[in-house]
Structures are given as C-alpha cells and as structure tokens.
Amino acid sequence: ILNVEQSPQSLHVQEGDSTNFTCSFPSSNFYALHWYRWETAKSPEALFVMTLNGDEKKKGRISATLNTKEGYSYLYIKGSQPEDSATYLCAFNNQGGKLIFGQGTELSVKP
Amino acid sequence: DTAVSQTPKYLVTQMGNDKSIKCEQNLGHDTMYWYKQDSKKFLKIMFSYNNKELIINETVPNRFSPKSPDKAHLNLHINSLELGDSAVYFCASSPTSGGTGELFFGEGSRLTVL
C-alpha cells in the first residue's frame, strides 16, 4: 500500500508569517510529485509538478523542494496572506500513472 | 469557458437508482480521470482513460462504469446506488497519461444517496 502523508493536518498563522509544510512519500519507484492548492468551494489547482531529486520550484511567494532519496517534499509560503488560506495537497506518482494524494494541510491565514 | 466541466453539480437520489455524471474538457487533453473524495476528504482515483481507452481501473465495484465516447468526454454511470456511494466525485484531465502532467479538475459533483 502506497502512503502519502502530509503534516501538519492544519495550520493557523498570522498575515505576514512565513510557513512550510511537509509531504512524505515512498522513496522507491519515484516518478513525480505534485502540489495542488484547493480553496473551499473550488476545485484543486496545480501549483507544481516535480520529477527530479533536488528540484526546487517557485511561483510568486510559494516554493517547493523535492528529496526523492529520502521521500519528502516541502512547500514554503513566504509572507502569508489571507488569500493563501486553502488546503494544500501533495500527490505521488510511482510510474504507474496513478496519482496517490495525501490528506492535505489546511492553512488558515488570519489578517 | 470552463476547462473541465461536470454535470450535475448536485445529485440527490434514492438507494437502488441508476445515475450518471458527465464530464467534458475543452483543453485538448488525451487523459481523463474520475476521483472520489472519501469521508476523510482523501481524493482516491477510480478510473483513468487515455484517448478513449481505459488505462487505470482501481478496485471499484462493478456498479461503477465509466464511458468515454471521445477523448473530450468521460462519463460515470452508477447502477443500484448504495448509501456508501454518497461522496463528491471529481473529474480531471491531464496532457499526459504517465503522471508528469498536472491535473485540471472539474468542480466536483456531490452525490447524496438517501
């Protein structure tokens, strides 16, 4: 059974704080790691797809790193804003073409 | 224009009925998926089609049957609905079938079985 675990499950920060959360996945047969942002009442939207060990990707104030040897990825948000409030999902692909999603980290940013 | 659209968004029905959820994407993608959001809010893959051919078929009851009339459409038909089928079902599409392309999700269809 392939498990993708995200921590923490929820996070409450103040506007302006920087924050990060973790996605852990099996380190064998790695193919790709995805991050999605899921706002309430909307559908998940892709942030990053990473395929290489050591990959670092950035989109505005959000960035992600990837360590395939130890099986983890970090998502960082610099200077959190209330509009960053959402659930952040990671998903792991082990070459089967099948994305296994974690349960998500629910981020709440208070003004 | 919505890239991936699902209909209906809400569906309330009785146990034992048969219902369908339709999905259409206008992104020109070859690969489409059905995901089920379970009670713990996990997104779990049910089916994947690449250019109208079934490529992923998870352990899903036979009552669930996907149909892809063309690569822009992937419909989900459910026979003999049970209480446990109540969930939100998400359709998604991707430019690749191998998992390196990002998924584009529809807004979800909330199915309630009474």
Side-chain angles (χ1 to χ4, degrees):
Chain A
I1 297 176
L2 297 173
N3 278 332
V4 178
E5 295 187 1
Q6 293 186 245
S7 61
Q9 283 195 12
S10 65
L11 195 51
H12 300 265
V13 301
Q14 289 293 132
E15 183 176 354
D17 288 349
S18 292
T19 187
N20 66 84
F21 19 95
T22 308
C23 173
S24 300
F25 52 86
S27 55
S28 58
N29 297 322
F30 176 86
Y31 200 59
L33 193 283
H34 296 220
W35 280 100
Y36 290 83
R37 181 170 178 271
W38 193 358
E39 289 182 74
T40 304
K42 294 188 177 180
S43 49
E45 290 184 353
L47 289 171
F48 308 113
V49 178
M50 295 186 286
T51 57
L52 297 175
N53 184 41
D55 256 355
E56 290 189 25
K57 296 215 170 179
K58 188 175 179 182
K59 187 181 283 190
R61 293 178 292 99
I62 304 177
S63 60
T65 61
L66 178 67
N67 183 323
T68 62
K69 294 191 185 311
E70 296 181 41
Y72 64 84
S73 175
Y74 292 137
L75 189 80
Y76 300 90
I77 302 179
K78 187 176 176 183
S80 303
Q81 299 296 309
E83 57 265 30
D84 295 329
S85 298
T87 297
Y88 291 83
L89 297 173
C90 72
F92 164 76
N93 181 345
N94 71 337
Q95 301 182 349
K98 183 169 65 175
L99 278 181
I100 310 295
F101 279 85
Q103 81 276 27
T105 292
E106 191 175 346
L107 175 67
S108 173
V109 182
K110 292 186 177 178
Chain B
D1 265 357
T2 304
V4 182
S5 58
Q6 298 178 224
T7 52
K9 286 188 178 177
Y10 301 95
L11 187 53
V12 180
T13 189
Q14 299 287 330
M15 260 195 331
N17 284 349
D18 302 339
K19 290 293 177 187
S20 292
I21 306 172
K22 295 185 176 182
C23 179
E24 177 182 2
Q25 54 97 1
N26 62 9
L27 297 168
H29 292 165
D30 285 343
T31 307
M32 296 184 72
Y33 304 84
W34 277 110
Y35 277 84
K36 179 181 180 181
Q37 184 184 15
D38 68 15
S39 55
K40 294 183 181 178
K41 299 196 176 180
F42 275 92
L43 283 172
K44 292 195 171 176
I45 190 163
M46 300 173 70
F47 302 103
S48 174
Y49 270 71
N50 184 56
N51 205 7
K52 301 193 297 176
E53 288 196 19
L54 181 66
I55 56 171
I56 294 174
N57 185 353
E58 281 298 280
T59 310
V60 175
N62 291 338
R63 300 181 294 102
F64 289 78
S65 55
K67 282 191 172 51
S68 182
D70 55 61
K71 72 175 194 176
H73 295 85
L74 181 61
N75 304 323
L76 183 66
H77 189 75
I78 315 170
N79 288 330
S80 304
L81 279 156
E82 299 178 359
L83 293 177
D85 298 332
S86 295
V88 182
Y89 293 85
F90 285 91
C91 176
S93 73
S94 175
T96 69
S97 61
T100 56
E102 62 189 63
L103 266 58
F104 292 77
F105 284 89
E107 293 184 338
S109 297
R110 182 177 292 276
L111 172 65
T112 303
V113 183
L114 303 175

